Amino acid sequence: MARERIVTAASLPEDQPGTGASPALRPKSLNEYIGQRELVEKLRISIQAAQKRRESMEHVLLHGPPGLGKTTLAYLIAGELNGTVPKITSGPALARPTELVSMLTNMQQGEILFIDEIHRIPSAVEEYLYPAMEDFCIDVVFGAGTHAESVHMDIKPFTLIGATTRAGLLSGPMRSRFGIVHHLNFYDLPDLITIVTRSAQLLDLPSQPAALELVAMRSRGTPRVANRLLRRVRDFAVVRGEGKLTPAIATQALELEGIDNQGLDALDRRFMGVLARDYDGGPAGLEALAATMGEESDTLEDVIEPFLLQNGLIRRTPKGRQLTNAGYAHLKLKPPAQRPPSNAESESEKDRLF
């Protein structure tokens, strides 16, 4: 059975609030939210404007890589607007229109409905959202054929917050109905250090600043990964470091987990190693790499490649994936000498251009 990757930005059971003995690390207000300053300021203005007008806030779409705080922002918006928690569901969970209609008809004035992975809502369900978002009403059809009857139902004004990691898969009609659209970026090192410092205090973990910086540096620009790594090194510190986190303890703990100084784990390095040794650095097709590694091609494309591309360790070319000089340096390998193109390759390139 495959082991869960620690550095994955996808949510794991250990990340859920209330699991284990760890306190919730999620901020309680927008003032406590760290990073994404421009986005937070825009949201604060929208919230205050809605409160002054005594209206529901415009619908919000948050998109970006997983683990950057989209769900957290939904909680904070609901708390700032009316002191409640949002009603939460996900695109795959809304398999039938009746499930969405049930949620919408039970919404109270000004409540927040948060739909995670909203791009995965079935099209038949999505169509019910259009009038609900625009006119706060839904038309429900009862019966079938000649006995079908449409019933118009008004619903109370609400705010929909949609979150997606793949905004490009949202349909045009759905995207156009969001008045506020924001992209979440990866976090820089100073913000990640602030996040792990705050989390260490909440976890009651005595820590040296240099140790927290080591954790932040290997968290792949993602707060969820940073907090997960911090919990792992805390366990190591309790057993091997008398409960105190020092740079030496942090380094040993991260090395034990197989996470190097750029945040790469064994699967990342294996991908790069296969590309370097089996395919001479590439280019190599995704399916060929997946077959060589014994992994699904979707796993390579969605889970492994984004971080390697972001850090310039690999590149995508029309012919396939290729290891960069930075990738070779990270593996401590020497890049192969550049091979002149054969006559067949030259003719093929000429045909492509002309």
Side-chain angles (χ1 to χ4, degrees):
M1 183 171 158
R3 182 184 174 190
E4 290 281 10
R5 296 181 74 209
I6 298 172
V7 292
T8 178
S11 180
L12 299 179
E14 67 182 86
D15 302 318
Q16 302 306 314
T19 56
S22 300
L25 302 179
R26 183 172 283 157
K28 303 296 189 296
S29 70
L30 280 177
N31 291 331
E32 294 182 17
Y33 192 90
I34 299 165
Q36 313 287 346
R37 292 172 183 80
E38 184 178 332
L39 182 155
V40 169
E41 186 60 25
K42 290 178 181 177
L43 287 177
R44 186 177 282 115
I45 290 171
S46 298
I47 291 169
Q48 292 175 357
Q51 289 173 328
K52 288 185 177 181
R53 290 195 301 264
R54 296 184 180 180
E55 298 175 354
S56 292
M57 185 177 168
E58 284 189 278
H59 304 300
V60 181
L61 176 64
L62 302 172
H63 61 98
L68 299 185
K70 296 184 288 293
T71 303
T72 296
L73 282 172
Y75 273 92
L76 297 183
I77 291 170
E80 297 280 342
L81 275 174
N82 48 34
T84 62
V85 296
K87 291 188 175 179
I88 295 179
T89 186
S90 66
L94 297 172
R96 295 184 296 274
T98 52
E99 295 162 351
L100 177 64
V101 170
S102 176
M103 294 193 74
L104 293 175
T105 52
N106 286 304
M107 295 291 291
Q108 299 301 312
Q109 174 87 23
E111 272 195 316
I112 303 292
L113 173 61
F114 176 64
I115 303 180
D116 198 12
E117 295 302 308
I118 194 170
H119 66 273
R120 296 178 64 187
I121 292 181
S123 57
V125 178
E126 184 177 304
E127 291 174 1
Y128 279 82
L129 267 177
Y130 297 159
M133 294 173 70
E134 283 192 325
D135 304 317
F136 301 115
C137 66
I138 47 178
D139 294 303
V140 182
V141 178
F142 294 98
T146 57
H147 299 289
E149 181 181 358
S150 178
V151 177
H152 180 85
M153 302 172 62
D154 291 322
I155 59 177
K156 294 176 181 176
F158 71 101
T159 297
L160 172 64
I161 300 179
T164 176
T165 56
R166 308 184 74 175
L169 297 183
L170 273 179
S171 66
M174 171 62 81
R175 189 183 180 96
S176 67
R177 283 168 169 80
F178 287 97
I180 302 170
V181 179
H182 291 305
H183 175 75
L184 278 75
N185 299 305
F186 285 103
Y187 284 61
D188 56 24
L189 183 58
D191 283 339
L192 287 169
I193 292 173
T194 304
I195 288 170
V196 295
T197 301
R198 172 184 177 273
S199 297
Q201 293 171 351
L202 291 173
L203 294 171
D204 196 23
L205 174 63
S207 309
Q208 294 181 8
L212 295 175
E213 184 174 348
L214 281 173
V215 174
M217 287 174 61
R218 304 190 191 197
S219 60
R220 303 165 75 107
T222 307
R224 179 181 290 159
V225 175
N227 285 328
R228 190 183 300 148
L229 291 180
L230 184 65
R231 288 194 292 268
R232 298 298 175 89
V233 299
R234 178 185 65 157
D235 292 344
F236 195 91
V238 168
V239 175
R240 301 283 177 85
E242 299 180 352
K244 185 174 182 180
L245 184 59
T246 64
I249 290 294
T251 300
Q252 291 174 45
L254 293 168
E255 286 179 352
L256 182 64
E257 298 289 354
I259 301 165
D260 63 28
N261 57 3
Q262 285 197 38
L264 273 62
D265 68 355
L267 194 56
D268 296 313
R269 293 189 294 274
R270 184 169 164 235
F271 179 92
M272 294 166 62
V274 166
L275 194 52
R277 298 183 181 93
D278 294 10
Y279 295 96
D280 297 323
L286 185 64
E287 295 296 334
L289 287 166
T292 304
M293 294 179 64
E295 299 282 350
E296 295 290 335
S297 58
D298 288 346
T299 301
L300 302 188
E301 188 172 22
D302 297 335
V303 178
I304 298 176
E305 286 190 346
F307 185 70
L308 300 180
L309 288 165
Q310 174 200 343
N311 286 271
L313 299 171
I314 64 169
R315 67 170 66 95
R316 285 178 180 168
T317 72
K319 295 182 179 180
R321 277 60 176 172
Q322 193 168 25
L323 196 64
T324 64
N325 288 338
Y328 274 105
H330 189 79
L331 294 175
K332 298 180 180 177
L333 296 175
K334 185 179 179 181
Q338 206 149 23
R339 175 172 61 92
S342 66
N343 289 337
E345 287 175 329
S346 299
E347 290 299 322
S348 174
E349 182 69 12
K350 195 178 295 183
D351 291 341
R352 187 178 68 82
L353 292 174
F354 300 102

